[in-house]
Amino acid sequence: CRDCFGHNFWCDSCCISAHTTLPFHCVQMWNGRFFKQSDLLTDGLTLDLRHYPDNCPSINYNTEIYLPTMDQSDWADKFTYEHQPLVDSEPTPNTGSRSTLIIVSSTGIFTWSIRWCHCIKSPRQYAQLLLQAKLFLASWKNPQTAFTFEVLDHFRIDSLECKTAAMNFMSKIGRITNEAFPSKVPDRYRELLRVSREWRDLHNRIRAGAVHDRPDSPLDGGLALFCPTFPQIDINIPPETEWKVDDKLLHRPQLVSDGNMKLVRLKMRRPEDDVSLSDGELFMVKRVPYAEHLKSRCNNHRAQNQGNLHWNHLDETGKGACACARHGAFVPHSVVSFQKGERQINMDYSICQALKQFPQHQRALVIYDICCQWIIHFRERVSKSEFLALWDSMEITGTVGKWHLAAHIPECFPRFSLNFVKGTGKVEGEILETLWSDMDEIVAMAQAMSIAHHQEVVDDHMNDSNWCKIIRIGDSLCVKWKRAQEGVSMTEAVFKELTDSLDPALIDEWTNQERVAMERRGDHLNIFTVSSDKLPTLAEICLKLSETEVRQGNLSGSVSALMEALAIEKSQIRLQCHVASLSTGCSVAQKNDLLDRRRKLEARISTYEQRISVIMKLDDETQWSTEVGNGREIDSNGEDSSDDVLARYPDGWFTPERESITLPSALAPGEIDRQSLQPIAMIKAELRKGQVMDSLQGLRLALGEKSICFRAEVCNANSQRTTHRAWDRVHKFDADARQCCSTYRHARSTLQRLHIDPEYLATLRDITKEDMKVSSDLTNEGWFNQHSDTLAWFWRIGQGDDSDGPRMQEFYRVSWLRVKARFS
């Protein structure tokens, strides 16, 4: 026998005798050359299902007339049931009727001879005998096939854990029975479909305690497993009368709502023949009330309304559900089907049915990817519908998960971010997405099922998901508790340090603002965003200074001249980058192009020098600063480059890109006051501030474009050609970022030499290599898993302003409030 331990070798009689209690084994017989499949057990054993004498209903134990007709010896001869094996190897005649039955086991499919008890008179009695022998009938009227309890449990676990379809499982049993000729094995696929539904329903009812002759039927969702972390008054939390204000926020239901556009179902040919075993008793809602609700008018969610609509043969285009935001358990009786994509009419019914599970709660948190649109008229839609109901005393707070919040407009960030909902803690706002990924594995086997069968399979897999949450919740809570303690300890230190460095009066004012925002919400939550206007750019500063110059009657054109100086400096930096990109053995055409560009730059410098000499009117004793050097150094590889182009080319080549031009910042200390050049120096400082703003803005754009290009093009490149093109774009944005960084450094050094506005200069820091690195989630304020403390300073400072001015005060206010929100 190949199924017995040790692969024992027996003779025919010994093999039959050893398997009287193990009938469902595969036996191979040696034919002189090899082992072949044998029907020895099937032919030599009979499955005995006769009653014991004490249990046979046809025997009367209480009448005195019946017992004397048979003495003790006759009784023992006729009924030899004590310690009798399940299978009789030597059947005795005239002790009951016989028939054949196909039995499906995990070890194969067998055709067995069955000996029934002589008391069997009805199909129900046949079923009772088979169930006592742990055999489940495929038909209750004319039983011809039976499944062992063990194989049904085997299929159920295979379906839940491995997502095995019934056809694949039956093919596996067929190959186990006869691997060489599986087509000769009786096919019991249709019977398995029917029996597995009944077995699944019995299993759910036994686990829910609904099979012990209960007079009442299960309520909506009564057979589903309810997560123990769901707040239930008088069950796992104290009564409402004992609650404090903070307890109400802590114990409120937190639901995540979302749709799955892959869990589809095809149209059924004859829906009138469908039979449901547990309609609305687990996670899917009842079909009839939900269908009536769908007939009412609704407001479509057009962003998702196109999902799967090109499939004309689909009856359901997806599913919508609610789950616990803390641990991801599905809410009973909250799963709905989509017919025309994800619409608000679908999600209204799902969320209302989920909130019915918490009748005594006054507050609830709903996390939905389009909550900013859905919640606006939610109460109005509920009041107008006869199929929707909601507790009048329940206050609903709508939020959006961080992953979906990144696609929303900036105004949604303070109003619908989980960071600014008191009492929420650290919840899994997108945990339903992870649950859908597991449910997607049953799409292939469930889409062609009938309506009821599809519903039962989805319910069973969701119930198993909740079961896995329950048995693993202890370890999960311990991990989350340790993680929360570490987060609190880290955030508490940062929060205390930030609080100690600020004015106590401002702390009191911001605390009151936070309290009002948490109570009233809505527009009051805008305190968590920077509300100051942007600082002017270089073009705006130039326009303002030119208008002031004209109003004062100054027609010298100093503003336009200094703007020309900034443009010349920018051209010098670009030309230096071009020279640095050339190799020592450049071609003749490249040398001619370089000479042409240098001639044009030299002409611009000469024209500017003639113009600025008239404006500044420097004397012969003018002293120049030694800090200026011979020109602006470029940032070619992330560091300042000092390559001398004169070493690359023959003597006599002129290098206008490295020449210094006449500017107030190029004068030695004290020369500006000696020659009364303060007005020009002030104009120059204002223009430099605008140049700083433009260079930082260009740096942010270049780094953001570089990060997006790497994520969208480099990572998705599918050929060498597209890879090279993507990397060329990355290198281009990297070069733009280095050029903006060089411009910023030069403008910053110029302002430092002018010694104007030291408070503003204190906010301008040096840009390091680490600051030039940026990941994809740092370009968006509301991006998933984004933390402001990981951003470089020029991202956090935004437009760059003085530390004591209104913008920096606004920055510190928002930073303090956000840290406090995460800490509390």
Side-chain angles (χ1 to χ4, degrees):
C1 176
R2 74 179 189 184
D3 294 327
C4 290
F5 179 76
H7 297 270
N8 299 320
F9 294 92
W10 289 305
C11 63
D12 294 355
S13 60
C14 293
C15 184
I16 294 175
S17 176
H19 286 84
T20 53
T21 56
L22 299 172
F24 306 117
H25 276 194
C26 292
V27 176
Q28 293 179 341
M29 180 178 294
W30 179 256
N31 64 358
R33 292 182 300 171
F34 58 88
F35 286 99
K36 69 174 184 179
Q37 197 79 18
S38 174
D39 297 330
L40 178 64
L41 296 183
T42 303
D43 297 336
L45 297 179
T46 299
L47 188 62
D48 194 348
L49 298 181
R50 293 175 298 171
H51 285 117
Y52 283 89
D54 295 342
N55 296 328
C56 186
S58 63
I59 301 177
N60 192 346
Y61 304 98
N62 299 323
T63 59
E64 299 180 356
I65 303 174
Y66 176 77
L67 293 177
T69 60
M70 185 181 300
D71 57 14
Q72 190 67 25
S73 60
D74 295 336
W75 185 281
D77 292 338
K78 187 172 183 180
F79 297 101
T80 58
Y81 296 100
E82 188 174 1
H83 306 294
Q84 181 175 337
L86 179 64
V87 175
D88 187 3
S89 59
E90 297 180 358
T92 58
N94 302 324
T95 55
S97 60
R98 292 172 179 270
S99 64
T100 58
L101 192 68
I102 296 178
I103 299 178
V104 181
S105 175
S106 294
T107 57
I109 302 177
F110 308 89
T111 303
W112 278 87
S113 175
I114 307 297
R115 177 185 299 164
W116 305 97
C117 186
H118 58 82
C119 67
I120 301 300
K121 303 299 182 182
S122 65
R124 180 178 180 182
Q125 293 175 331
Y126 281 104
Q128 289 177 351
L129 284 181
L130 288 173
L131 290 175
Q132 290 174 2
K134 294 188 177 181
L135 295 174
F136 202 93
L137 285 175
S139 173
W140 299 93
K141 293 183 178 180
N142 185 19
Q144 296 179 359
T145 304
F147 294 80
T148 63
F149 288 7
E150 177 264 341
V151 75
L152 293 178
D153 284 331
H154 186 185
F155 171 65
R156 178 178 171 274
I157 297 300
D158 260 18
S159 177
L160 295 176
E161 288 293 335
C162 306
K163 315 302 178 186
T164 305
M167 179 174 292
N168 300 113
F169 184 81
M170 187 52 61
S171 298
K172 180 180 74 171
I173 299 299
R175 293 192 61 178
I176 291 175
T177 306
N178 192 340
E179 187 173 5
F181 303 101
S183 59
K184 295 183 178 181
V185 179
D187 184 14
R188 288 299 180 264
Y189 166 64
R190 294 177 60 88
E191 288 77 3
L192 179 62
L193 287 179
R194 180 169 58 252
V195 172
S196 63
R197 291 183 59 188
E198 298 172 356
W199 185 257
R200 183 186 300 114
D201 185 66
L202 284 175
H203 187 276
N204 292 330
R205 293 182 184 276
I206 291 173
R207 185 157 57 180
V211 295
H212 303 294
D213 297 330
R214 289 180 53 176
D216 56 330
S217 59
L219 301 176
D220 294 342
L223 299 183
L225 292 175
F226 209 94
C227 179
T229 61
F230 271 111
Q232 302 176 72
I233 300 177
D234 294 336
I235 297 179
N236 55 9
I237 57 176
E240 184 179 4
T241 55
E242 301 178 7
W243 286 7
K244 300 178 181 179
V245 177
D246 294 339
D247 293 338
K248 292 182 179 180
L249 298 176
L250 181 63
H251 297 305
R252 64 181 169 185
Q254 298 179 357
L255 306 178
V256 180
S257 301
D258 195 14
N260 183 354
M261 308 308 295
K262 294 183 180 180
L263 205 58
V264 300
R265 184 180 59 78
L266 304 179
K267 292 182 179 179
M268 188 176 176
R269 292 183 179 180
R270 294 183 294 273
E272 64 277 1
D273 296 338
D274 197 20
V275 177
S276 179
L277 300 179
S278 57
D279 184 22
E281 295 179 354
L282 281 101
F283 296 93
M284 294 284 291
V285 298
K286 287 187 176 180
R287 291 157 54 184
V288 175
Y290 181 57
E292 294 293 332
H293 166 72
L294 294 178
K295 295 179 181 179
S296 60
R297 299 181 60 184
C298 68
N299 184 14
N300 291 355
H301 174 206
R302 297 181 181 178
Q304 298 288 340
N305 207 23
Q306 304 301 321
N308 296 331
L309 288 186
H310 60 285
W311 288 22
N312 296 326
H313 53 285
L314 284 182
D315 192 25
E316 296 178 4
T317 60
K319 294 286 188 297
C322 293
C324 174
R326 289 186 176 93
H327 301 286
F330 286 102
V331 181
H333 203 260
S334 66
V335 182
V336 297
S337 300
F338 298 154
Q339 289 74 32
K340 297 181 180 180
E342 183 177 345
R343 300 179 294 171
Q344 290 186 1
I345 190 173
N346 303 117
M347 299 310 299
D348 287 348
Y349 197 87
S350 174
I351 294 175
C352 286
Q353 293 298 322
L355 292 176
K356 282 184 179 180
Q357 305 293 332
F358 313 97
Q360 302 182 41
H361 289 265
Q362 296 182 358
R363 300 188 180 188
L365 176 70
V366 177
I367 306 173
Y368 186 28
D369 53 359
I370 57 159
C371 195
C372 55
Q373 302 176 14
W374 167 81
I375 203 171
I376 297 176
H377 302 290
F378 174 63
R379 289 280 184 178
E380 180 181 352
R381 294 194 299 270
V382 171
S383 61
K384 292 182 178 180
S385 176
E386 59 177 321
F387 303 99
L388 300 178
L390 191 66
W391 309 106
D392 296 335
S393 60
M394 180 172 287
E395 177 185 346
I396 299 178
T397 302
T399 57
V400 179
K402 289 186 177 180
W403 190 75
H404 286 92
L405 191 62
H408 287 237
I409 60 177
E411 288 76 6
C412 290
F413 177 71
R415 297 186 182 185
F416 298 97
S417 175
L418 288 166
N419 293 339
F420 311 130
V421 180
K422 189 174 181 180
T424 300
K426 188 173 182 180
V427 299
E428 304 290 345
E430 304 290 350
I431 196 170
L432 198 50
E433 299 288 345
T434 63
L435 301 181
W436 286 142
S437 64
D438 187 61
M439 296 295 296
D440 289 344
E441 298 181 13
I442 67 172
V443 171
M445 69 175 180
Q447 65 180 0
M449 294 179 177
S450 65
I451 299 174
H453 194 185
H454 178 89
Q455 176 178 346
E456 293 161 9
V457 169
V458 172
D459 282 339
D460 195 40
H461 283 264
M462 289 184 174
N463 211 27
D464 183 69
S465 175
N466 280 15
W467 172 254
C468 294
K469 298 289 183 181
I470 292 175
I471 61 178
R472 300 168 185 169
I473 199 170
D475 296 336
S476 176
L477 288 176
C478 292
V479 172
K480 291 184 178 181
W481 174 253
K482 293 179 181 179
R483 189 186 307 163
Q485 285 183 322
E486 294 175 358
V488 168
S489 61
M490 295 176 57
T491 311
E492 185 178 11
V494 176
F495 179 70
K496 187 177 183 303
E497 181 182 359
L498 182 61
T499 303
D500 294 340
S501 63
L502 298 175
D503 187 2
L506 293 177
I507 296 298
D508 296 337
E509 178 183 354
W510 297 343
T511 303
N512 293 330
Q513 292 179 1
E514 183 209 17
R515 178 181 54 81
V516 174
M518 290 300 180
E519 293 177 354
R520 300 181 181 180
R521 303 193 64 80
D523 294 338
H524 297 279
L525 292 172
N526 291 332
I527 65 169
F528 293 102
T529 59
V530 179
S531 58
S532 298
D533 297 332
K534 293 183 179 180
L535 291 181
T537 61
L538 178 60
E540 294 172 347
I541 292 177
C542 178
L543 178 61
K544 181 179 179 180
L545 293 175
S546 300
E547 292 176 348
T548 303
E549 191 179 41
V550 171
R551 286 196 301 268
Q552 294 177 353
N554 184 6
L555 303 179
S556 62
S558 56
V559 176
S560 60
L562 294 177
M563 282 292 296
E564 176 64 17
L566 298 182
I568 291 175
E569 287 183 342
K570 190 173 183 180
S571 299
Q572 287 178 319
I573 293 176
R574 290 179 178 176
L575 189 54
Q576 287 186 54
C577 294
H578 176 68
V579 173
S581 65
L582 297 176
S583 60
T584 55
C586 56
S587 63
V588 176
Q590 290 176 330
K591 291 182 179 180
N592 288 331
D593 177 69
L594 180 61
L595 284 174
D596 184 58
R597 295 179 65 172
R598 282 175 168 171
R599 289 192 188 99
K600 292 180 180 179
L601 181 59
E602 182 67 21
R604 291 182 63 186
I605 294 176
S606 300
T607 304
Y608 167 76
E609 291 292 342
Q610 295 175 2
R611 184 178 179 184
I612 198 65
S613 62
V614 178
I615 297 175
M616 295 183 63
K617 299 179 181 179
L618 302 178
D619 53 28
D620 296 337
E621 299 179 357
T622 301
Q623 297 181 2
W624 302 94
S625 175
T626 58
E627 300 178 358
V628 180
N630 294 326
R632 271 69 49 199
E633 301 293 348
I634 64 171
D635 188 6
S636 59
N637 294 314
E639 298 179 352
D640 288 344
S641 174
S642 58
D643 295 337
D644 190 1
V645 294
L646 293 178
R648 296 186 178 185
Y649 304 105
D651 297 337
W653 281 53
F654 63 99
T655 56
E657 68 274 11
R658 303 178 66 85
E659 294 182 2
S660 298
I661 60 178
T662 303
L663 285 171
S665 58
L667 299 177
E671 287 294 315
I672 295 178
D673 295 335
R674 188 180 68 83
Q675 301 193 32
S676 302
L677 297 177
Q678 292 88 348
I680 297 179
M682 292 298 296
I683 294 175
K684 180 64 176 178
E686 292 298 322
L687 293 177
R688 288 295 185 186
K689 290 181 181 180
Q691 190 178 31
V692 166
M693 293 301 105
D694 286 354
S695 59
L696 290 180
Q697 178 66 14
L699 178 61
R700 288 191 290 266
L701 291 176
L703 292 178
E705 290 291 341
K706 173 185 173 182
S707 178
I708 294 174
C709 179
F710 184 83
R711 184 181 70 248
E713 298 184 19
V714 175
C715 297
N716 296 329
N718 54 8
S719 64
Q720 187 175 5
R721 179 181 180 184
T722 55
T723 301
H724 285 313
R725 286 187 176 183
W727 276 111
D728 289 342
R729 285 176 53 82
V730 170
H731 295 324
K732 173 184 177 299
F733 292 127
D734 188 53
D736 294 342
R738 292 199 303 269
Q739 182 177 343
C740 292
C741 183
S742 299
T743 304
Y744 164 78
R745 288 173 177 170
H746 177 64
R748 176 172 173 260
S749 63
T750 301
L751 289 173
Q752 290 174 343
R753 290 194 298 270
L754 290 175
H755 300 289
I756 296 177
D757 201 352
E759 295 180 351
Y760 174 77
L761 291 176
T763 64
L764 302 181
R765 310 177 191 177
D766 189 21
I767 299 178
T768 63
K769 285 184 178 180
E770 296 297 327
D771 296 336
M772 296 290 288
K773 298 177 181 179
V774 59
S775 59
S776 59
D777 58 346
L778 299 182
T779 60
N780 195 323
E781 183 183 33
W783 201 267
F784 174 69
N785 204 27
Q786 184 264 339
H787 300 283
S788 60
D789 55 351
T790 60
L791 290 167
W793 67 270
F794 53 82
W795 291 95
R796 299 198 304 267
I797 201 173
Q799 302 297 328
D801 211 326
D802 57 290
S803 58
D804 295 331
R807 275 196 59 82
M808 285 307 299
Q809 181 176 336
E810 182 74 7
F811 168 72
Y812 280 122
R813 180 186 67 83
V814 174
S815 300
W816 184 85
L817 287 173
R818 290 184 180 180
V819 175
K820 186 177 186 297
R822 291 198 300 268
F823 174 65
S824 58

